[in-house]
Amino acid sequence: MPEITIRDAISQGLKEALDNDERVFIMGEDVGYYGGAYAVTKGFVQEYGERRIMDTPISESVFVGAGVGAAMAGLRPVVEIMTINFSLLAMDQIVNHAAKIHYMSGGQLKAPVIIRTVTGGGAGLAATHSQSLEGWYATVPGLKVITPATPYDALGLLRTAFKDENPIIYAEHDLLYRTRGEVPEEYYEVPFGQARIAREGTDITIVANSGMVRVAEDAAKKLEARGVSAEVIDLRTLRPLDIDTIAKSVHKTNRCIVVEETWRFGGFGSFIASEIQEIAFDDLDAPVARVGCADVPAPYSKPLEDLQIPNGDTIIREIERVIGL
Amino acid sequence: MTLKEKLNQQQVTEYYRMMLLIRRFEDRAAQAYMMGKVRGFLHLYSGEEAIAVGVMSVLKPQDYVVTHYRDHGHALARGIDPKAAMAELFGKATGTSKGKGGSMHLFDASINFMGGYAIVGGQFPLATGFALASAYKGTDQVTVCFFGDGALNEGEFHEAMNLASVWKLPVLFLLENNLYGMGTRVDRTYAGGHDVYKASEHYAMEAGVVDGMDVLAVRDSVTDAVDYIRQGNGPFLLEAKTYRFQGHSMADPGEYRDKEEEAEWLTKDPISNMRRQMLEEDLLSEKEIQALESEVDQVLDEAVRFADESPFPEPEALFENVYVE
Ligand SMILES: Cc1ncc(C[n+]2csc(CCOP(=O)(O)OP(=O)(O)O)c2C)c(N)n1
Ligand SMILES: [Mg+2]
């Protein structure tokens, strides 16, 4: 099986859709001649032309909303928001419009738009450019929120997204683009709402998504050397959320820790923790623990930023506490 | 226009010195970035110095200045300490924001430098608010709001232009039209044509355009605009035509710009042109200029040394300043 990067996997998924479906087009800031701020659409405008690959003005509200509108009118737009931080300028179109249209019209209308965006911190971009807001969007019924952590999933989930008829937030982590992994040449899809066991274990379940998956895997590896067997679950999609896989795992491990790259206060991890406590209370030997970012805006300075975002050691310390090591 | 007609020797020296300080500050910042001492996004102001220096030469200490992420030039010209600015870029505790803001978010409240903002268009509403406060208090303060051509297309620009005009607020919207928003040329994204300042017409606002590569011209235009505003006539939009001599940020190889276009703009370098003019007009001798230049280098040597030797913030700093205590 060929090994490719997440960047290449997403590019491939986009090209397939452009090749197969005339209704698919891509628009966003600098997606054309610049090649995309994170180079996902490099070479696309040369290959597909300006009709299908559109550089937009820096006007998030209108180009995201136009994507929603074009979707309502029968097209399959892919809208790229350079980073999820800038999606706040389009939040009204996403939350008040895209997410509501199908319901509010009694099922008459639909808005099958894919909003691709970049999430995550750790690159020294400071408070306004380092947020992971996908959890916010996951609270909104009507939206689906996809957060791939491997090239296999990036492609498989994107294929599923193109078949789905709902508005989708597809959040790519800024530090994962160069992550490599095996991707089969034959066609496959990865369904929404099906978490992946990234690593099997018996002593504790670590739930993570996006950039936190590999951090959790690193922690699990280190713990193994100390005789602790941690199971790592990659959520893949925040909505739909696969609570069953987590519950099954907890049934086996009897302990659970939820890791997210955002503030613990009201983070999506709190929802997962409460669900697990409701569903699997009898399986639990300890309260569900949570790890998230320090409850402050992202600082620029490296030593502070390193403290703000969870890392392997943060997770290990919390697991030590839960297990009582 | 000769320099002599308009400026005394002290002013000539001051403006040249400040433009050079900015240019060489940017060179040092770029070097430090290459060495990994500055991280995140670094946007250089090289080529646009005449605007910041010309504008600040007109302002009074009580006036407000606000800008975007390409903010080093505005900060330095306004009088920020180069040591503190460099230390901020290095993420040090002695930086203007104690290492929390970084290059894109410089602040110095002591000189009413109200900040660099990294969300495109984010400064427009704030600028409107500074001006509203001045009007409310009945002071004669003027707010200068710097922004780029890319920001013209955010709704906030239009909303702020409208509100400032309806309420006759004392704000100077200062457009630095360097022809590109990241990799996209202004004529591909802005519908209003070449004379961008005419965007004011819809808002019944006074406006003008100036050669942003000429510090004297900027100074003259801004003098008129600020007088007009200070007299209580309401806001003003000034477009300065300019060019950035580097990529959008350090991450940008700048492949989308025409080499001939670049070469042509390089001949308009505000610094080398002023240097030549000073010599031609016998305002300063070659020797005096060289003395000035090495003095600038010394200031920057010291700034870099200060930044290098300063400590990183202590871990406790992570939690400071989230709320006003
Ligand atoms: C709301 C928002 N959208 C997109 C970006 C990404 N971005 C940063 S700078 C920039 C280009 C801005 O160009 P312009 O306003 O012309 O300023 P210049 O960089 O040329 O000085 C873009 C698209 C952002 N920071 N904020
Ligand atoms: Mg520009």
Side-chain angles (χ1 to χ4, degrees):
Chain A
M1 257 193 287
E3 272 215 350
I4 63 172
T5 62
I6 288 199
R7 177 182 286 116
D8 291 340
I10 299 167
S11 294
Q12 183 184 328
L14 293 172
K15 282 189 178 180
E16 281 175 11
L18 286 162
D19 289 337
N20 296 336
D21 188 346
E22 172 67 19
R23 299 170 306 163
V24 172
F25 68 94
I26 298 177
M27 66 175 156
E29 291 157 14
D30 283 309
V31 297
Y33 293 98
Y34 193 85
Y38 291 85
V40 171
T41 53
K42 205 170 162 75
F44 278 37
V45 71
Q46 288 79 4
E47 192 172 341
Y48 296 97
E50 290 183 10
R51 178 168 169 266
R52 316 243 354 241
I53 312 296
M54 303 174 204
D55 280 325
T56 63
I58 308 171
S59 313
E60 287 80 6
S61 178
V62 74
F63 73 74
V64 173
V68 176
M72 290 167 67
L75 298 182
R76 297 297 314 241
V78 178
V79 176
E80 175 176 316
I81 306 180
M82 200 176 283
T83 82
I84 203 163
N85 306 283
F86 316 149
S87 77
L88 299 189
L89 282 80
M91 202 160 187
D92 175 61
Q93 289 299 320
I94 298 170
V95 176
N96 274 332
H97 297 87
K100 309 289 194 280
I101 285 299
H102 190 61
Y103 189 81
M104 226 161 44
S105 68
Q108 298 177 70
L109 292 168
K110 58 190 180 191
V113 60
I114 297 176
I115 299 171
R116 279 187 48 236
T117 190
V118 179
T119 190
L125 302 181
T128 59
H129 275 55
S130 305
Q131 301 165 105
S132 299
L133 303 177
E134 57 273 14
W136 284 8
Y137 288 109
T139 66
V140 179
L143 297 179
K144 295 192 178 181
V145 178
I146 315 305
T147 61
T150 64
Y152 181 91
D153 286 350
L155 178 58
L157 291 166
L158 188 54
R159 284 175 175 153
T160 303
F162 276 107
K163 292 202 169 156
D164 201 286
E165 304 242 84
N166 296 286
I168 288 167
I169 309 285
Y170 182 96
E172 305 158 16
H173 196 285
D174 66 338
L175 301 184
L176 289 186
Y177 279 116
R178 275 182 280 179
T179 299
R180 303 185 76 86
E182 290 187 341
V183 171
E185 270 164 63
E186 52 287 358
Y187 187 88
Y188 68 95
E189 288 170 15
V190 174
F192 292 171
Q194 220 173 78
R196 173 178 74 97
I197 311 281
R199 183 189 175 92
E200 289 195 32
T202 51
D203 296 332
I204 186 163
T205 302
I206 312 178
V207 180
N209 78 314
S210 190
M212 283 295 120
V213 174
R214 69 170 182 189
V215 177
E217 285 177 302
D218 286 348
K221 236 176 263 162
K222 281 191 195 157
L223 283 167
E224 189 174 41
R226 297 170 53 187
V228 177
S229 160
E231 179 144 300
V232 177
I233 294 184
D234 170 3
L235 290 171
R236 283 176 164 159
T237 63
L238 296 187
R239 191 191 269 260
L241 181 69
D242 180 6
I243 209 74
D244 290 348
T245 296
I246 307 173
K248 265 192 213 119
S249 172
V250 171
H251 186 66
K252 175 173 71 174
T253 62
N254 309 118
R255 290 182 182 86
C256 183
I257 173 169
V258 187
V259 183
E260 57 194 310
E261 193 182 325
T262 187
W263 306 291
R264 278 169 41 103
F265 196 115
F268 68 83
S270 53
F271 176 68
I272 294 174
S274 99
E275 290 285 285
I276 289 303
Q277 259 144 193
E278 275 180 33
I279 298 168
F281 188 76
D282 293 337
D283 286 331
L284 287 168
D285 287 348
V288 177
R290 294 180 55 214
V291 167
C293 289
D295 199 19
V296 304
Y300 163 74
S301 187
K302 173 118 173 82
L304 294 186
E305 190 187 52
D306 287 347
L307 288 175
Q308 204 240 346
I309 302 175
N311 56 36
D313 292 336
T314 336
I315 297 174
I316 289 171
R317 271 199 304 277
E318 192 58 15
I319 289 178
E320 284 169 349
R321 194 186 63 76
V322 171
I323 296 187
L325 283 180
Chain B
M1 201 170 15
T2 63
L3 294 170
K4 259 185 189 161
E5 278 171 58
K6 295 270 186 177
L7 304 176
N8 60 38
Q9 195 178 25
Q10 191 202 333
Q11 289 169 315
V12 172
T13 312
E14 227 174 82
Y15 302 166
Y16 180 74
R17 185 187 164 282
M18 185 50 77
M19 289 203 293
L20 194 71
L21 181 80
I22 296 171
R23 176 74 53 91
R24 295 195 174 172
F25 181 96
E26 299 297 52
D27 293 344
R28 302 292 184 109
Q31 280 166 15
Y33 181 91
M34 299 302 224
M35 293 164 72
K37 293 184 176 182
V38 175
R39 50 200 303 260
F41 291 151
L42 176 64
H43 309 84
L44 306 181
Y45 193 62
S46 310
E48 309 187 22
E49 298 89 346
I51 306 173
V53 174
V55 170
M56 302 310 167
S57 75
V58 177
L59 298 188
K60 297 189 177 165
Q62 67 269 26
D63 293 333
Y64 290 112
V65 175
V66 64
T67 182
H68 57 177
Y69 48 85
R70 196 181 300 286
D71 58 355
H72 309 166
H74 307 126
L76 290 166
R78 182 59 173 165
I80 213 166
D81 174 8
K83 290 201 301 242
M86 192 63 82
E88 186 61 28
L89 268 58
F90 278 53
K92 296 300 181 73
T94 52
T96 43
S97 297
K98 305 172 198 162
K100 290 198 172 141
S103 156
M104 302 195 287
H105 310 104
L106 295 177
F107 292 83
D108 190 342
S110 72
I111 51 174
N112 280 357
F113 184 74
M114 304 301 274
Y117 294 86
I119 299 297
V120 170
Q123 73 275 33
F124 290 116
L126 304 179
T128 308
F130 306 148
L132 174 62
S134 306
Y136 187 91
K137 292 190 257 185
T139 67
D140 74 343
Q141 292 161 291
V142 168
T143 293
V144 178
C145 176
F146 289 93
F147 65 103
D149 46 284
L152 283 166
N153 303 313
E154 290 286 17
E156 287 150 315
F157 168 68
H158 299 274
E159 295 182 29
M161 290 279 287
N162 183 61
L163 191 65
S165 188
V166 173
W167 287 355
K168 290 215 174 311
L169 298 178
V171 53
L172 172 60
F173 293 107
L174 207 139
L175 165 57
E176 296 179 317
N177 185 355
N178 60 16
L179 299 178
Y180 292 84
M182 250 178 95
T184 305
R185 209 168 195 284
V186 58
D187 46 23
R188 293 186 58 228
T189 54
Y190 180 71
H194 177 262
D195 294 322
V196 177
Y197 66 96
K198 290 186 178 160
S200 64
E201 286 172 6
H202 180 70
Y203 303 103
M205 192 186 294
E206 286 298 314
V209 58
V210 64
D211 176 3
M213 307 305 273
D214 178 347
V215 68
L216 207 52
V218 173
R219 184 190 147 91
D220 279 352
S221 295
V222 173
T223 302
D224 292 346
V226 166
D227 283 349
Y228 169 90
I229 297 167
R230 246 192 255 288
Q231 283 158 18
N233 294 308
F236 195 101
L237 171 66
L238 183 63
E239 174 186 7
K241 302 263 191 209
T242 186
Y243 205 70
R244 56 171 159 71
F245 286 179
Q246 312 269 347
H248 168 71
S249 72
M250 293 298 288
D252 170 20
E255 283 158 359
Y256 45 83
R257 292 200 308 200
D258 184 61
K259 294 296 157 234
E260 268 172 44
E261 178 185 279
E262 285 183 0
E264 194 197 317
W265 278 95
L266 281 172
T267 67
K268 301 180 186 174
D269 184 341
I271 298 176
S272 55
N273 285 341
M274 187 171 186
R275 191 183 202 282
R276 204 189 46 242
Q277 242 184 317
M278 291 190 306
L279 287 169
E280 276 168 13
E281 295 182 31
D282 269 337
L283 275 160
L284 287 182
S285 70
E286 177 66 35
K287 228 176 156 181
E288 285 167 319
I289 294 178
Q290 283 177 8
L292 203 68
E293 290 168 348
S294 56
E295 186 215 309
V296 163
D297 285 336
Q298 270 169 27
V299 168
L300 291 171
D301 285 344
E302 208 186 310
V304 171
R305 190 173 336 113
F306 175 79
D308 242 336
E309 289 171 0
S310 289
F312 279 108
E314 294 297 326
E316 307 83 77
L318 182 63
F319 296 98
E320 288 163 8
N321 302 130
V322 178
Y323 291 98
V324 180
E325 300 295 347

